[in-house]
């Protein structure tokens, strides 16, 4: 059985969302994880994930292994103590540690493919809860936005702990995603922001409030079909993320290059420190902004239409 899950970008509100402010995220279907589970002729659970050079039998992996632990969790959730021999093949076009949700997408696709193969039907809500449990193991204090947008593969307006809200896109708009190529685990930037918040809660609560207001305004602009207003909001959000210390020279450099090439606005997206930035562009400018990002050092770009 096969299942897949897309990548994602956070449009507005990363980090502040961990502190209960709203954030907006959309799936990026140009990149995805595919998982295929088949019966195996040889005993055991054989996992193949060429992207991370993993070819191993489940029992040889440490119990907290990023992929092995998902498989164990699924067996335990289904009450399977003696799993049948299986072959699990994982392929991905989502770059790892780049803010595009590769970890959550592997978990979501893997859980779905195993559930289908083992004939344990799961609702999206159940998949989402399981992916969130796994995100907590690897990311410390995740808000839950990544697993939600990836599991449901829909635009989401997300507030931690509240029922999932999707939002309507009044008029489509184009985003160019630029990858710094710098691997930056979300856990570290989220942990660093937490330390800073603990040291000066007044200052950081003000910054989170500002970011939360931007997410709210952005949702109104998107729903009312005025996406051009998002440019200025992205620039403001990026400046606030710089104050949270989660930008980097590489991200700032790409953000500036996008703006200089005619983007309407730009910001880092996701955990920051490395990974990806996003720029709002008029459709006809997508190629020139993308080329400008590549000339400024982006390792790759993706153009995506939000609709
Ligand atoms: C990561 O994609 C988004 C962060 O806000 C972390 C989280 O919400 O769990 C940085």
């Amino acid at each position: 059985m096969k299942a897949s899950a897309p990548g994602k970008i956070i449009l507005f509100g990363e980090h502040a969302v961990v502190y209960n402010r709203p954030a907006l995220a959309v799936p990026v279907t140009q990149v995805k994880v595919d998982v295929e589970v088949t019966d195996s002729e040889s005993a055991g659970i054989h996992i193949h994930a060429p992207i991370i050079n993993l070819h191993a039998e489940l029992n040889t992996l440490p119990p907290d292994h990023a992929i092995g632990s998902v498989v164990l969790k699924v067996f335990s959730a289904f009450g399977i103590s003696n799993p049948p021999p299986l072959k699990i093949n994982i392929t991905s076009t989502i770059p790892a540690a780049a803010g595009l949700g590769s970890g959550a997408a592997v978990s979501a696709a893997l859980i779905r493919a195993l559930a289908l193969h083992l004939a344990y039907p799961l609702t999206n809500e159940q998949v989402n809860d399981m992916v969130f449990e796994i995100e907590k193991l690897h990311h410390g204090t995740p808000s839950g936005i990544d697993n939600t947008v990836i599991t449901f593969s829909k635009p989401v307006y997300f507030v931690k702990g509240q029922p999932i809200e999707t939002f309507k896109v009044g008029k489509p708009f184009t985003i160019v995603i630029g990858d710094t190529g710098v691997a930056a685990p979300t856990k570290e930037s989220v942990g660093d922001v937490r330390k800073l918040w603990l040291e000066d809660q007044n200052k950081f609560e003000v910054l989170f409030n500002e970011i939360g207001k931007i997410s709210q305004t952005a949702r109104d602009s998107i729903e009312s079909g005025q996406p051009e207003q998002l440019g200025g909001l992205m620039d403001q959000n990026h400046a606030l993320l710089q104050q949270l210390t989660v930008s980097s020279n590489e991200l700032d450099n790409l953000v500036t290059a996008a703006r200089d090439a005619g983007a309407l606005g730009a910001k880092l997206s996701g955990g920051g420190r490395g990974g990806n930035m996003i720029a709002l562009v008029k459709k006809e400018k997508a190629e020139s902004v993308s080329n400008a990002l590549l000339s400024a050092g982006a390792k790759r770009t993706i153009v995506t239409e939000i609709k």
Side-chain angles (χ1 to χ4, degrees), residues 8 10 14-15 17-18 142-146 186 190 270-271:
K8 67 99 221 289
I10 309 262
E14 50 275 269
H15 287 288
V17 68
V18 175
S143 63
I145 190 169
D146 289 6
T186 303
V190 170

Side-chain angles (χ1 to χ4, degrees), residues 19 190-208 243-245 273:
Y19 300 82
V190 170
D192 289 351
V193 170
R194 181 157 299 267
K195 274 187 218 138
L196 293 168
W197 172 75
L198 286 170
E199 279 162 23
D200 192 345
Q201 295 199 18
N202 289 342
K203 175 178 166 194
F204 279 77
E205 287 293 322
V206 170
L207 296 174
F208 296 149
Q243 292 192 58
L244 295 185
T245 77
R273 297 271 165 82

